[in-house]
Amino acid sequence: MQIIAMLTLLTILPAVIMSVTPFLRITVVLHFLRQALGTQGTPSNQVLIGLAMFLTLVIMQPVVIDMYHKGWEPLEAGQATWQQAWNDGSQPLKTFLLRYVREKDVRLFLDISHTPAPHDPSGLSLVVLMPAYVLSELKTGFQIGVILFLPFLVIDLVVASVTLSIGMVQLPPVMLSAPFKILLFVLVDGWNLVIGSLIRSFYST
């Protein structure tokens, strides 16, 4: 039974890592950025996912180390039971999730699960915090994506207006605007700005 339980946990581990870590927000923002640039499959999905994983490791490293010290080390030393190790080890993750979760999303899942609201936010269970965090991160990722889209949308509108005014109706405006968008992104050092802003958004909250 322990082997079956361990294998089950290993199968859902990738989904957990993608859902309750900064990986979710980062991948959503990078997808919007690629769509805004109009570069289709460049960078490839593998590159974007790899970049998101490395950034997630950078942000989550202190949390993972704290979970290891509070949960796994006492269990390995025989100073705590599995339940005590789980409760103590999950506290750093709860603290991380509470920093970015929205109160509205927490209330939604409290109502869905018919769970009474605790007197203190630290009393919230992971069953409520994890899906609430996913909703909060999706909203944040979409908000950042819209902001990224706006300057490139202006370029598309300008190029479309110019091509229509000179009668170039057979040439798709996207083909003409793509080089200008890429050039603008390179000139402003867009990757540095986007990645730097993403990482700082997790430390400034």
Side-chain angles (χ1 to χ4, degrees):
M1 291 298 295
Q2 291 180 349
I3 295 175
I4 294 175
M6 184 63 68
L7 290 175
T8 303
L9 290 175
L10 289 176
T11 56
I12 65 174
L13 184 61
V16 173
I17 293 175
M18 289 187 292
S19 301
V20 296
T21 62
F23 184 88
L24 176 60
R25 183 191 301 186
I26 295 170
T27 50
V28 170
V29 171
L30 292 180
H31 173 75
F32 271 108
L33 176 61
R34 187 173 64 180
Q35 293 292 108
L37 285 172
T39 55
Q40 304 302 323
T42 304
S44 64
N45 290 331
Q46 290 84 352
V47 173
L48 295 184
I49 291 174
L51 176 60
M53 288 183 62
F54 284 120
L55 295 177
T56 302
L57 288 175
V58 171
I59 298 170
M60 291 297 294
Q61 183 179 2
V63 179
V64 173
I65 293 175
D66 200 12
M67 292 173 66
Y68 177 80
H69 289 322
K70 291 184 177 180
W72 182 256
E73 283 187 345
L75 178 65
E76 194 176 26
Q79 300 174 355
T81 63
W82 276 101
Q83 185 175 4
Q84 291 172 339
W86 169 259
N87 291 334
D88 295 339
S90 61
Q91 284 303 319
L93 179 60
K94 284 185 179 181
T95 303
F96 174 81
L97 297 179
L98 283 169
R99 291 176 62 188
Y100 307 105
V101 75
R102 295 188 308 157
E103 183 179 351
K104 184 178 180 180
D105 296 325
V106 172
R107 287 177 181 168
L108 171 64
F109 286 100
L110 285 175
D111 294 338
I112 292 175
S113 60
H114 303 288
T115 304
H119 298 289
D120 191 272
S122 60
L124 291 169
S125 66
L126 288 175
V127 176
V128 172
L129 278 177
M130 291 169 69
Y133 173 83
V134 172
L135 287 187
S136 300
E137 287 296 282
L138 284 175
K139 179 179 180 180
T140 303
F142 272 71
Q143 288 175 335
I144 298 173
V146 169
I147 295 174
L148 286 175
F149 247 104
L150 291 178
F152 300 110
L153 180 61
V154 171
I155 295 177
D156 285 332
L157 292 175
V158 171
V159 172
S161 300
V162 172
T163 54
L164 288 176
S165 64
I166 62 178
M168 298 175 60
V169 294
Q170 295 182 349
L171 186 63
V174 177
M175 293 184 61
L176 293 176
S177 63
F180 292 104
K181 292 191 289 186
I182 296 173
L183 180 61
L184 172 65
F185 190 72
V186 171
L187 288 176
V188 300
D189 200 3
W191 287 111
N192 185 282
L193 291 175
V194 172
I195 300 304
S197 299
L198 273 174
I199 294 179
R200 282 190 292 270
S201 69
F202 286 97
Y203 288 105
S204 60
T205 304

